[in-house]
Amino acid sequence: AQSVSQHNHHVILSEAASLELGCNYSYGGTVNLFWYVQYPGQHLQLLLKYFSGDPLVKGIKGFEAEFIKSKFSFNLRKPSVQWSDTAEYFCALRNTGRRALTFGSGTRLQVQP
Amino acid sequence: SQTIHQWPATLVQPVGSPLSLECTVEGTSNPNLYWYRQAAGRGLQLLFYSVGIGQISSEVPQNLSASRPQDRQFILSSKKLLLSDSGFYLCAWSDLGETSNYGYTFGSGTRLTVV
């Protein structure tokens, strides 16, 4: 069975600090990986995704993620966070034999001005 | 453009009462449809998904059921609610066509409180 782990449950940063949120998965085959964000009071929305090719993926709002196959990781990064990045972030995985996404437990990011 | 509608936004129901949450999608045909439950600190748990009319896959044994009576309609139901059914329920759709990005579009969710 596949699973996704997000070990950081709650992260508090000051504005302009750098961000890295961890995401590890367990699945031995080909995967598609996603990061979703949920801003307070809003829908979940796609931040970025990895399907194939360049393992460094750039998303909206200055976010990027790197797929490291040997480490089964897909960490989310941003060099300088803003107060508006305060949200909950979810990593998700889809394997090629399954239509549904498996989500991690989420990381709540709080950016202090 | 594609949109997804989910209602009601909030619901308070007594234990033992029935439940019906509805989700409809516009602007696409033959979508894959999903019901997730979001619990604080536990992320999103997949409850059901459907690849077509009348085709339902259940992920976890539970007190809930799902139906897809029309191509773009997905319903989450229960005959008798339990306290443990309280939570935030999200509907989502995805497209597995050739131009698909395999991502989901989520509805706005229903906050269910069973009392």
Side-chain angles (χ1 to χ4, degrees), chain A residues 94 98-101, chain B residues 4 23 31-36 46-51 74 90-96 102-106:
Chain A
R94 176 187 172 275
R98 176 179 161 86
R99 296 174 187 270
L101 296 182
Chain B
I4 179 167
C23 173
N32 295 303
L33 296 170
Y34 310 86
W35 278 110
Y36 280 84
L46 178 65
L47 302 177
F48 302 95
Y49 70 93
S50 171
V51 300
F74 203 25
L90 284 166
C91 181
W93 78 272
S94 72
D95 180 358
L96 285 184
Y102 298 99
Y104 284 11
T105 299
F106 284 91

Side-chain angles (χ1 to χ4, degrees), chain A residues 59-105:
Chain A
I60 60 173
K61 303 186 180 184
F63 286 91
E64 65 179 31
E66 185 175 12
F67 171 53
I68 303 179
K69 189 174 181 179
S70 61
K71 295 185 177 180
F72 297 91
S73 70
F74 190 55
N75 293 354
L76 181 70
R77 300 194 293 246
K78 186 171 184 179
S80 176
V81 294
Q82 302 172 321
W83 177 78
S84 58
D85 293 324
T86 294
E88 190 155 17
Y89 294 81
F90 294 91
C91 184
L93 169 153
R94 176 187 172 275
N95 72 57
T96 53
R98 176 179 161 86
R99 296 174 187 270
L101 296 182
T102 299
F103 285 83
S105 57

